[in-house]
């Protein structure tokens, strides 16, 4: 089978939406990381499942059916570079300790404040969301707040082992061209096994 | 070059880049330094203070390594006595710079010296990444 696959917008959002390591989510994250060098093919799926063709085939079919991946012949392949960042947008990437990691369009003090606020809002929201069936706390996927007369959206990203907050002023950022390669570059750099 | 030649300073961030250690370790440290420009010196030493690799200029690597080892030992002891679990990171923020230490695998300590107003979020995740890679490699 020579077809290659690409992850869709829905697949990307599903992959980074939760810290729960479900099979499909782990596979999609591996898919994202593989896309670093070349398109994802069926042989990559086989390799992921240690040459178990049947499971690989079922997983690919399931993801295709759910619209998380798509078959493509000539997808423009964007290699992961340091330039895969929101070049013209205001953004702040911060960790779950409330510390800024990277930012653009904010002053240093603003970035420090916003990183701390974003972390607090996510934590507070987490306390108020509870799954009554399992009794576990639920994490919000995103939050909209107002900061210094600007509407900002805080996205909670779970990139495998690495969770972080992406705060953006553009509400359509998830549909922007930079979003996919940016997430992919973060996955490739920071989703690693802890020693 | 001795400590005395540089007014008693053990490190000299402004001097030309001087590296030592295995290629793999150097590459990991250099990649981290490139990603976080606030880092002036990164160093990998064994738990007992012997320098394995350094990126940035260290006038007396063994002395810096020994200090890092001592600091880690003291902090480990404090963490144990205060029943705070295993030591994960040490951050010393000083007026002239910042020193960050963390274990890199079982046998090594990653030491990073940076400018005082370092972007701590970036430094921490880059250090965690480097420590994980070093831990795997050792």
């Amino acid at each position: 089978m020579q077809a290659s696959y690409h992850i869709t917008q829905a697949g990307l959002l599903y992959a980074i939406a939760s810290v729960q390591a479900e099979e499909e989510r782990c596979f999609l994250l591996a898919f994202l990381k593989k896309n670093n060098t070349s398109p994802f093919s069926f042989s990559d799926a086989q390799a992921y499942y240690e040459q178990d063709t049947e499971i690989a085939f079922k997983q690919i079919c399931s993801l295709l059916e759910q619209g998380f991946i798509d078959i493509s012949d000539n997808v423009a392949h964007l290699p992961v570079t340091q330039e895969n960042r929101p070049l013209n947008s205001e953004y702040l990437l911060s960790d779950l300790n409330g510390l800024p990691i990277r930012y653009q369009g904010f002053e240093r003090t603003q970035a420090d404040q916003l990183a701390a606020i974003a972390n607090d809002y996510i934590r507070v929201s987490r306390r108020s969301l509870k799954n009554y069936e399992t009794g576990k706390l639920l994490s919000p996927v995103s939050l909209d707040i107002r900061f210094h007369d600007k509407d900002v959206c805080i996205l909670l990203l779970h990139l495998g082992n690495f969770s972080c907050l992406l705060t953006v002023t553009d509400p359509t950022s998830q549909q922007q061209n930079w979003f996919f390669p940016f997430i992919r570059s973060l996955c490739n750099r920071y989703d690693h096994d802890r020693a | 070059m001795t400590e005395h030649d540089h007014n008693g300073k053990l490190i000299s961030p402004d001097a030309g880049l001087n590296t030592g250690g295995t290629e793999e370790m150097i590459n990991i440290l250099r990649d981290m330094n490139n990603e976080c420009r606030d880092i002036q010196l990164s160093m990998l030493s064994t738990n007992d203070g012997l320098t394995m690799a350094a990126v940035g200029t260290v006038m007396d690597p063994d002395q810096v390594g020994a200090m890092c080892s001592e600091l880690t030992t003291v902090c480990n002891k404090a963490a144990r006595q205060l029943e705070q679990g295993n030591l994960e990171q040490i951050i010393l923020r000083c007026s002239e710079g910042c020193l960050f230490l963390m274990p890199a695998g079982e046998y090594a300590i990653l030491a990073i010296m940076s400018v005082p107003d370092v972007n701590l979020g970036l430094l921490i995740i880059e250090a965690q990444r480097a420590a994980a890679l070093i831990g795997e490699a050792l």
Side-chain angles (χ1 to χ4, degrees):
Chain A
M1 201 178 286
Q2 294 299 314
S4 62
Y5 307 92
H6 72 267
I7 196 162
T8 61
Q9 183 77 15
L12 174 69
L13 296 179
Y14 176 75
I16 62 174
S18 171
V19 76
Q20 300 294 322
E22 282 135 10
E23 187 56 42
E24 285 178 335
R25 184 166 287 120
C26 294
F27 183 74
L28 284 168
L29 281 170
F31 199 127
L32 260 180
K33 291 170 83 175
K34 162 67 187 167
N35 259 1
N36 182 26
T37 48
S38 56
F40 196 87
S41 65
F42 187 71
S43 57
D44 295 316
Q46 279 177 309
Y48 180 83
Y49 286 109
E50 294 170 345
Q51 304 307 323
D52 192 329
T53 307
E54 197 181 327
I55 295 179
F57 185 71
K58 277 183 184 167
Q59 185 65 276
I60 290 283
C61 289
S62 163
L63 293 174
L64 280 169
E65 205 175 315
Q66 292 175 85
F68 289 163
I69 59 170
D70 216 345
I71 299 178
S72 57
D73 293 327
N74 287 310
V75 173
H77 185 69
L78 260 177
V80 174
T81 67
Q82 293 304 310
E83 300 311 314
N84 288 333
R85 294 179 184 183
L87 293 176
N88 300 313
S89 305
E90 289 176 321
Y91 82 99
L92 163 75
L93 187 72
S94 57
D95 66 12
L96 297 185
N97 297 312
L99 295 169
I101 297 169
R102 292 178 194 155
Y103 52 91
Q104 180 172 273
F106 297 103
E107 297 290 326
R108 172 70 186 258
T109 48
Q110 278 186 327
D112 286 341
Q113 278 176 14
L114 189 53
I117 289 170
N119 186 43
D120 284 348
Y121 269 97
I122 290 289
R123 278 174 190 268
V124 169
S125 307
R126 193 167 178 268
R127 276 190 214 141
S128 63
L129 293 168
K130 194 173 182 181
N131 183 335
Y132 288 101
E133 284 177 19
T134 61
K136 286 182 182 171
L137 294 173
L138 296 173
S139 291
V141 174
S142 71
L143 271 177
D144 292 319
I145 63 163
R146 194 134 177 94
F147 176 78
H148 283 227
D149 296 330
K150 279 179 191 166
D151 288 321
V152 296
C153 176
I154 307 162
L155 304 164
L156 176 56
L157 311 178
H158 296 289
L159 312 175
N161 286 326
F162 170 62
S163 295
C164 61
L165 300 172
L166 178 65
T167 306
V168 284
T169 50
D170 177 4
T172 63
S173 58
Q174 288 172 73
Q175 278 87 51
Q176 299 293 323
N177 287 339
W178 57 261
F179 190 74
F180 193 103
F182 182 61
I183 296 297
R184 213 171 58 190
S185 67
L186 289 176
C187 266
N188 273 291
R189 188 157 184 91
Y190 298 120
D191 177 22
H192 51 80
D193 296 324
R194 298 264 183 258
Chain B
M1 200 174 283
T2 64
E3 195 184 316
H4 185 71
D5 298 331
H6 290 268
N7 304 321
K9 286 188 175 178
L10 286 173
I11 65 158
S12 175
D14 300 328
L17 205 67
N18 173 29
T19 61
T22 64
E23 188 84 6
E24 192 178 5
M25 300 300 150
I26 290 295
N27 286 341
I28 294 170
L29 296 181
R30 190 176 286 138
D31 181 45
M32 176 179 68
N33 291 14
N34 287 341
E35 190 65 22
C36 182
R37 295 289 177 171
D38 295 334
I39 295 176
Q40 294 174 321
L41 165 76
S42 55
M43 212 178 106
L44 190 66
S45 65
T46 59
N47 285 341
D48 46 8
L50 296 173
T51 307
M52 295 161 79
V55 176
T57 305
V58 195
M59 299 310 156
D60 189 346
D62 287 339
Q63 199 173 340
V64 177
M67 275 184 203
C68 295
S69 171
E70 266 181 62
L71 266 171
T72 312
T73 308
V74 169
C75 292
N76 251 324
K77 197 175 172 187
R80 247 198 330 270
Q81 288 191 349
L82 295 169
E83 296 177 0
Q84 297 296 307
N86 295 329
L87 182 71
E88 292 185 353
Q89 292 163 358
I90 303 168
I91 303 169
L92 289 182
R93 293 199 89 154
C94 313
S95 59
E96 303 289 317
C98 178
L99 172 64
F100 179 90
L101 296 170
M102 75 175 288
E106 261 181 81
Y107 312 105
I109 300 165
L110 174 64
I112 298 168
M113 290 181 210
S114 70
V115 296
D117 60 340
V118 58
N119 180 349
L120 206 51
L122 181 59
L123 186 139
I124 290 171
I125 62 161
E126 284 298 331
Q128 283 173 338
R129 176 182 185 272
L133 294 176
I134 290 164
E136 280 167 25
L138 287 176

